[in-house]
Amino acid sequence: INGIEVLEVQGDKDQYLSKKYLWKLPDNLIVKSGVKIEIEAGTKLFVESKNAKITFEEYSQILAIGNINEPIIFTTRKDIETGEDVPGSWRGIEFNNIDSSILKYVQIRYAGYNYPAVKFKTAISVMLLNFLKFILRIMMELKFMTAI
């Protein structure tokens, strides 16, 4: 694309993503537990589908450390080729309890198609969600019992 070699990100092995390449993200990339993805400042990663989503499993790690002059950019192929796109052109990125990861000077462009552009799921948020479901179930049972 634009004279730059394109490589594909893998979710099942450690990778160092250099800015000298463009990095294609598969439509449903899952970065497995124990896998580390390190991204050089100035690197651009892109998706090609509206349904594209990146999921970082628990205990996976991303070290994406850009800087003010060379941010790391997650975007669409159209943005890479033309410099523009529309919001909601792909789903986004989900982080599942990845405490040892670092994201600094990272741009996530044009995400948010039927999904939050960035979603963090921590152990606390999962426990809270399960607790709320439990309370709702109890409330429904009480409502049912008072209706009898």
Side-chain angles (χ1 to χ4, degrees):
I1 299 174
N2 298 335
I4 302 171
E5 186 177 355
V6 175
L7 299 177
E8 189 163 304
V9 177
Q10 311 280 316
D12 58 353
K13 65 180 184 178
D14 292 353
Q15 273 188 297
Y16 176 80
L17 310 183
S18 168
K19 69 181 179 183
K20 69 180 184 178
Y21 304 105
L22 290 173
W23 293 90
K24 181 182 180 298
L25 298 159
D27 280 355
N28 192 23
L29 175 65
I30 298 174
V31 180
K32 300 289 186 188
S33 180
V35 172
K36 179 170 91 173
I37 304 289
E38 189 173 353
I39 307 173
E40 181 180 13
T43 300
K44 293 181 181 175
L45 303 91
F46 69 92
V47 299
E48 295 184 313
S49 162
K50 253 188 163 0
N51 291 314
K53 180 179 109 172
I54 307 159
T55 302
F56 287 88
E57 288 185 344
E58 187 172 14
Y59 306 117
S60 63
Q61 185 179 35
I62 178 171
L63 299 175
I65 305 171
N67 61 59
I68 198 155
N69 296 317
E70 293 184 299
I72 293 166
I73 299 171
F74 290 83
T75 191
T76 63
R77 182 180 181 122
K78 183 177 179 186
D79 181 33
I80 297 286
E81 292 176 340
T82 68
E84 59 185 56
D85 208 337
V86 295
S89 292
W90 62 292
R91 291 179 75 193
I93 303 175
E94 179 177 304
F95 299 99
N96 292 301
N97 208 25
I98 53 168
D99 298 333
S100 62
S101 292
I102 300 171
L103 294 130
K104 195 172 188 180
Y105 291 98
V106 173
Q107 297 177 9
I108 300 169
R109 296 182 181 172
Y110 308 112
Y113 173 70
N114 288 335
Y115 198 79
V118 179
K119 184 176 184 179
F120 292 94
K121 289 172 93 176
T122 64
I124 292 171
S125 66
V126 171
M127 286 178 2
L128 180 60
L129 180 61
N130 289 335
F131 177 72
L132 292 173
K133 286 178 184 177
F134 173 73
I135 296 297
L136 183 59
R137 189 171 68 240
I138 289 173
M139 290 173 62
M140 295 299 286
E141 288 174 9
L142 288 174
K143 184 176 180 181
F144 176 75
M145 288 176 17
T146 57
I148 293 179

